[in-house]
Amino acid sequence: MPRLSKDNYENWSIEIKALFGSQDLWELVTDGYMEPTLQKEVAYTADEKKALKEQRKKDKKALFLLYQGLDESTFEKVAKATNSKQASEILATIFQGVDRVKRIHLQNLRGEFKALHMKEGEMVSDYFSWLLVIMNGLKRNAEKIDDIRVIERYMSNECRRMLALLFWNKR
């Protein structure tokens, strides 16, 4: 079960979406379901009661799965949620924050992208992996970034490194 921490909400939510999709629970978590009043429920047909019972069961399954990925502190924040949609929305609010927090996060990622350079002795694969982490963070936050821009960034740093090695070896 994917574990949620203060630093991995974006990745955790992707994993949870895949897990819930495989269990046919994702739409229930995002859309919720209408809990009828007791008066309306009494008037339901046998088929409607069966469908409602199934919806409640699926919702409790989704809620339980959400709980499994939380530490004690985070669990306390969603413990009063009455359904999986509500718990999911609380988590999104806590970890995604308001738009202002997202904008700040995007600014930080943009700054990291601009300032990223290969360090002396750094392996190309490590540099490229970090570049991909930043790029994926930007894309997950709805930043439009062309792959060509990333390739240019990678190539310019790699070319600088190669030139530096050539120059150093000629000395």
Side-chain angles (χ1 to χ4, degrees), residues 90-145:
I90 291 168
L91 291 171
T93 301
I94 292 168
F95 287 94
Q96 282 184 321
V98 291
D99 285 339
R100 182 170 173 251
V101 173
K102 275 185 148 181
R103 284 194 305 269
I104 291 169
H105 184 62
L106 261 173
Q107 285 176 324
N108 289 337
L109 286 169
R110 285 183 198 124
E112 283 185 53
F113 183 75
K114 284 182 180 178
L116 186 65
H117 67 282
M118 245 175 120
K119 295 164 191 80
E120 184 70 34
E122 184 176 20
M123 293 182 61
V124 173
S125 59
D126 292 340
Y127 170 77
F128 189 68
S129 293
W130 187 239
L131 183 62
L132 287 176
V133 166
I134 294 170
M135 183 189 76
N136 289 335
L138 287 167
K139 285 184 176 182
R140 271 197 303 272
N141 284 283
E143 178 79 2
K144 297 209 185 262
I145 185 165

Side-chain angles (χ1 to χ4, degrees), residues 17-27 58 61-62 65:
K17 183 178 181 180
L19 174 65
F20 284 10
S22 74
Q23 301 294 311
D24 196 27
L25 299 171
W26 185 245
E27 287 78 22
K58 285 174 74 173
K61 180 179 180 180
L65 288 172

